Amino acid sequence: SLIGRLMFELPEEMGLIAVAVRQTQGKGRGGNVWLSPMGCALSTLHISIPLHSNLGQRIPFIQHLVSLAVVEAVRSMPGYEDIELRVKWPNDIYYSDLMKLGGVLVNSTLIETTFHILIGFGVNVNNSNPTICINDLIAKFNREEGTELQPLSADCLIARTVTVLERLIDIFQEKGPNGVLPQYYKYWVHSGQQVRLHGEEGPLAWVVGIDDYGYLQVHREGEGVQSVHPDGNSFDMLRNLIVPR
């Protein structure tokens, strides 16, 4: 991609973001295609993270910080606190626990002692298809609560997300995972969720949180707590399954 080539050409103190109105070759995790109709907030952001820093030692956390930043971008606005936008581990943005509205993809390259991170995120803001969008949720909230919250633009969401993300990264660098996890748990869909490991007949486990490196922690009766890696597993939200890929 153009931004992938550009990021090494710019001075270090200069940030770089690409914003697409329409995207024709969107990518998802595991080689999936990300469909991006008009009305989506689409952007790719370049950041640099020192290897010897709290976040540099826990790079998988970046996708969680970006997902959280998208949700916070909306829910930190006065009046929008109860819009049912949530994060789903490891990298999705959801309407409650019902429907996906967006996703995050992170690519990192280590050069000497600096991680160059490309963060791509796409969120349905003003397009009701193929699923549902943030402005649908706002309209629904207005109908149910008698409020008059304004719809959001894709540009506004992207700008607010980047601002919130910068703040979350600063907090993480200063305080580590515990600086951001309470907020992440406030908005995630997995609280008290029961899942089956390895398949529909597999053992039951409870989701208890994420560990210091950003991997999902599940608790099995008699087995204690174990971490589940996103790279080697897929989390099937609809069937509550964690299955090896």
Side-chain angles (χ1 to χ4, degrees):
S1 70
L2 177 63
I3 192 168
R5 295 194 297 275
L6 268 178
M7 69 178 181
F8 302 117
E9 308 294 328
L10 289 177
E12 198 140 302
E13 60 281 1
M14 186 182 287
L16 184 62
I17 185 167
V19 176
V21 174
R22 192 80 200 267
Q23 188 175 253
T24 53
Q25 293 178 301
K27 291 182 173 59
R29 275 181 72 226
N32 293 335
V33 174
W34 173 258
L35 297 174
S36 311
M38 297 291 279
C40 246
L42 302 162
S43 102
T44 305
L45 174 68
H46 167 242
I47 60 171
S48 300
I49 302 289
L51 168 62
H52 302 296
S53 67
N54 267 328
L55 195 49
Q57 296 295 301
R58 299 169 179 84
I59 289 295
F61 250 102
I62 291 175
Q63 60 193 339
H64 310 322
L65 296 185
V66 181
S67 302
L68 176 56
V70 173
V71 172
E72 276 262 287
V74 176
R75 298 187 67 170
S76 63
M77 293 169 66
Y80 294 74
E81 297 90 347
D82 294 325
I83 301 294
E84 265 295 292
L85 204 57
R86 295 192 171 272
V87 292
K88 179 195 142 203
W89 180 93
N91 63 338
D92 288 334
I93 293 106
Y94 259 62
Y95 156 46
S96 185
D97 60 353
L98 300 172
M99 221 175 285
K100 179 172 173 172
L101 277 90
V104 174
L105 194 65
V106 174
N107 284 313
S108 58
T109 308
L110 181 62
I111 298 177
E112 294 174 353
T113 58
T114 303
F115 277 109
H116 288 267
I117 315 284
L118 276 184
I119 296 164
F121 61 93
V123 186
N124 296 336
V125 177
N126 199 32
N127 54 301
S128 300
N129 293 315
T131 56
I132 196 171
C133 67
I134 289 173
N135 285 341
D136 289 341
L137 302 189
I138 293 170
K140 176 176 181 287
F141 187 81
N142 282 337
R143 283 196 307 273
E144 292 172 357
E145 303 296 325
T147 47
E148 294 183 2
L149 299 176
Q150 294 301 302
L152 302 181
S153 69
D155 290 353
C156 167
L157 181 80
I158 291 168
R160 288 185 62 86
T161 297
V162 172
T163 303
V164 174
L165 179 62
E166 286 179 340
R167 194 185 80 237
L168 289 173
I169 288 172
D170 287 346
I171 293 169
F172 196 101
Q173 294 293 40
E174 187 189 338
K175 299 181 177 175
N178 291 338
V180 298
L181 280 176
Q183 200 65 357
Y184 184 80
Y185 291 145
K186 179 179 166 187
Y187 292 133
W188 86 333
V189 297
H190 307 295
S191 297
Q193 194 177 54
Q194 203 173 37
V195 294
R196 285 198 180 272
L197 303 177
H198 314 309
E200 297 196 2
E201 303 301 312
L204 276 173
W206 294 94
V207 175
V208 293
I210 54 180
D211 68 15
D212 260 4
Y213 293 91
Y215 298 128
L216 195 73
Q217 289 180 309
V218 296
H219 180 265
R220 277 175 62 190
E221 208 56 50
E223 298 282 329
V225 174
Q226 64 188 88
S227 290
V228 183
H229 292 228
D231 323 326
N233 302 272
S234 72
F235 193 175
D236 185 333
M237 185 77 192
L238 297 176
R239 294 184 300 152
N240 270 6
L241 293 181
I242 297 177
V243 287
R245 291 190 83 142

